[in-house]
Amino acid sequence: MRREREYKIAQKTSVFRLLKDKMAGSVMFTFTAVSVLLLILIGMGLVIKSLPILQEKSLWELLFTSKWKPMRGDFGFLPFIMGTLWVTVIAIVWTLPVSLFTAIFLTENSRAWVKKVVFPALDILAGLPSVVYGVWGILVVVPWISDSLAPHFVEYSTGYTTLTAGIVLGIMILPLMISLFVELFSSVPRDLREASLSLGATRWQTTKYVLLKKTFPGIVASVTLAVSRAMGETIAVLMVCGNIVQMPTSLFDGCYPLPALLANNYGEMLSLPLYESALMLSALILFVVVFVFNIASRLILRKIERTLV
């Protein structure tokens, strides 16, 4: 009788556990589906809001003309697209070697106390609001460029340039890139390094031919993620880029990236439906570009995971 009672209790417990597992699985699937659905809804909302301008103008005309006069119905996004590309490329070009060599030093050569100092500092930098970087750029980088650097190359510069925006943006994404590279290099098995060293290779040869070669796809994926992050930064870039609607031709020209266009103008000209639609199209362009970059980075990361297994 006692055994029968224990058996029934165990059976009920087992059924209850299975029910809890199914409920937990359903809840997690629901939240996952909501996340994906939210992404789809954002994209659909931007497409719907962009339809009026797309019905009035061809996509080619919108993306590849530079005349921007909303009151006259001219919406050429090329200056904003080029401004975004200039600032992003400048940020990546100087940030990539700095973050790469910093990550190599932290994973391969640094002592434990160095990591205890550097990692919290990176966390603080990553957590600072973007407006703080913008204020720092105005107080430090803008005067340095206008008074010290630009006079060697151009006659006059206000300091609010694509170079300024690229420097500030690069500092903003630096903690992200270092963290990604450190995590990437740490995933390489220690045995590979020791095997290389045992064969007579130097530390730099081991880093070059083992570490960097093994993680190259992951480095590309990390840079892709950083680019997608950089393209969406708004406040700090807006504060130092100059906000001039023009095609940049040098590092010391002002520019007007797409995020700055949205932040500066949305809400002011909503009485013009076509202007609102044009701003929504700029948001859609950013959405598509960031989405494509993230998908590409995920595919590359999947490839590297297969090679490391």
Side-chain angles (χ1 to χ4, degrees):
M1 192 72 179
R2 183 179 177 182
R3 289 183 179 179
E4 184 178 354
R5 188 182 304 166
E6 290 177 353
Y7 174 76
K8 288 181 179 179
I9 294 173
Q11 191 175 21
K12 289 181 180 179
T13 304
S14 177
V15 171
F16 183 68
R17 288 177 60 189
L18 290 174
L19 184 61
K20 283 175 63 177
D21 288 341
K22 288 183 178 180
M23 289 179 62
S26 300
V27 170
M28 288 186 286
F29 174 78
T30 301
F31 282 120
T32 304
V34 168
S35 301
V36 176
L37 181 62
L38 183 61
L39 180 66
I40 295 173
L41 290 175
I42 292 174
M44 289 178 60
L46 292 175
V47 169
I48 292 171
K49 286 287 189 178
S50 303
L51 284 178
I53 190 70
L54 292 173
Q55 290 170 353
E56 291 284 335
K57 308 280 186 178
S58 67
L59 188 61
W60 178 270
E61 181 183 355
L62 291 168
L63 297 181
F64 296 101
T65 59
S66 58
K67 196 173 183 180
W68 180 264
K69 296 193 175 191
M71 301 302 293
R72 297 182 182 179
D74 296 322
F75 299 95
F77 282 96
L78 190 57
F80 306 103
I81 295 172
M82 293 305 298
T84 304
L85 291 177
W86 269 77
V87 172
T88 304
V89 169
I90 292 169
I92 294 297
V93 163
W94 80 263
T95 304
L96 177 58
V98 172
S99 58
L100 191 63
F101 286 114
T102 301
I104 291 173
F105 172 74
L106 290 174
T107 54
E108 302 299 312
N109 301 308
S110 69
R111 298 182 179 180
W113 69 267
V114 176
K115 296 179 182 178
K116 291 180 180 179
V117 173
V118 173
F119 287 143
L122 292 176
D123 292 338
I124 293 172
L125 285 174
L128 287 176
S130 58
V131 68
V132 174
Y133 288 99
V135 172
W136 175 81
I138 292 173
L139 296 178
V140 178
V141 183
V142 169
W144 174 68
I145 288 180
S146 63
D147 299 334
S148 303
L149 184 62
H152 296 288
F153 300 94
V154 294
E155 292 184 2
Y156 173 74
S157 174
T158 62
Y160 293 90
T161 64
T162 55
L163 179 59
T164 309
I167 292 173
V168 173
L169 183 60
I171 293 174
M172 290 183 67
I173 64 174
L174 190 64
L176 171 66
M177 293 186 69
I178 293 175
S179 299
L180 289 173
F181 288 153
V182 167
E183 184 177 353
L184 190 64
F185 296 154
S186 300
S187 67
V188 178
R190 197 72 193 174
D191 295 343
L192 294 178
R193 297 178 176 86
E194 293 175 355
S196 175
L197 293 172
S198 66
L199 292 174
T202 62
R203 284 186 174 274
W204 170 243
Q205 289 174 328
T206 301
T207 299
K208 182 178 179 181
Y209 295 107
V210 176
L211 189 69
L212 295 180
K213 186 176 181 180
K214 191 72 174 175
T215 59
F216 180 74
I219 293 173
V220 175
S222 300
V223 172
T224 307
L225 283 173
V227 168
S228 65
R229 165 74 186 276
M231 284 188 170
E233 288 296 342
T234 305
I235 299 300
V237 174
L238 179 152
M239 295 172 69
V240 298
C241 68
N243 299 318
I244 301 173
V245 183
Q246 64 178 9
M247 297 277 288
T249 57
S250 76
L251 298 176
F252 302 102
D253 287 340
C255 65
Y256 210 155
L258 283 169
L261 171 68
L262 268 170
N264 270 336
N265 296 281
Y266 192 80
E268 294 182 2
M269 301 295 291
L270 296 187
S271 57
L272 298 176
L274 209 59
Y275 194 8
E276 180 188 8
S277 181
L279 294 177
M280 288 299 97
L281 178 61
S282 67
L284 179 61
I285 293 171
L286 279 174
F287 178 85
V288 171
V289 170
V290 171
F291 180 79
V292 170
F293 268 94
N294 275 276
I295 292 297
S297 66
R298 296 298 175 188
L299 293 175
I300 297 172
L301 285 174
R302 184 177 297 179
K303 180 180 179 181
I304 191 175
E305 286 174 357
R306 290 175 180 174
T307 59
L308 289 176
V309 172

